[in-house]
């Protein structure tokens, strides 16, 4: 994901994509990253509860994005 972000920044700097496209793609990467963090939190919670962390599932971005801090 970090490499993807750098590639987007490089494409923007080279003029290969516009700012709107870069922002859309960065937003998609952020959603994926949020899903990864959510999965990690689920795994930790399951481990702490003495359950199998392998039971954690990737939740839809629409679910993860609507969490409140």
């Amino acid at each position: 994901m970090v490499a993807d972000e750098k590639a987007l920044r490089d494409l923007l700097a080279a003029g290969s994509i516009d700012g709107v496209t870069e922002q859309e793609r960065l937003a998609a990467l952020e959603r994926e990253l949020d899903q990864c963090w959510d999965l990690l939190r689920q795994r930790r919670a399951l481990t702490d509860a003495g359950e199998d962390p392998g039971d954690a599932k990737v939740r839809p971005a629409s679910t993860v994005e609507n969490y409140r801090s």
Side-chain angles (χ1 to χ4, degrees), residues 44-66:
R44 286 181 177 162
L46 287 166
T47 298
D48 290 347
E51 297 181 34
D52 182 3
D55 289 341
K57 303 284 186 253
V58 176
R59 294 187 248 216
S62 59
T63 299
V64 174
E65 291 297 303
N66 289 319

Side-chain angles (χ1 to χ4, degrees), residues 1-2 5-6 12-13 17 19-21 25 27 30-31 33 39-40 47 51 54 59 61-62 66 68:
M1 287 182 179
V2 172
E5 180 184 12
K6 183 183 180 327
L12 180 66
I17 61 172
V20 172
T21 302
R25 291 183 184 175
E30 288 174 5
R31 285 188 298 273
L33 184 57
L39 184 61
L40 179 61
T47 298
E51 297 181 34
R59 294 187 248 216
S62 59
N66 289 319
R68 299 190 191 264

Side-chain angles (χ1 to χ4, degrees), residues 1-27 29-30:
M1 287 182 179
V2 172
D4 289 344
E5 180 184 12
K6 183 183 180 327
L8 287 171
R9 303 278 187 211
D10 291 345
L11 288 169
L12 180 66
S16 299
I17 61 172
D18 60 24
V20 172
T21 302
E22 180 211 26
Q23 289 303 310
E24 289 171 352
R25 291 183 184 175
L26 284 174
L29 282 173
E30 288 174 5

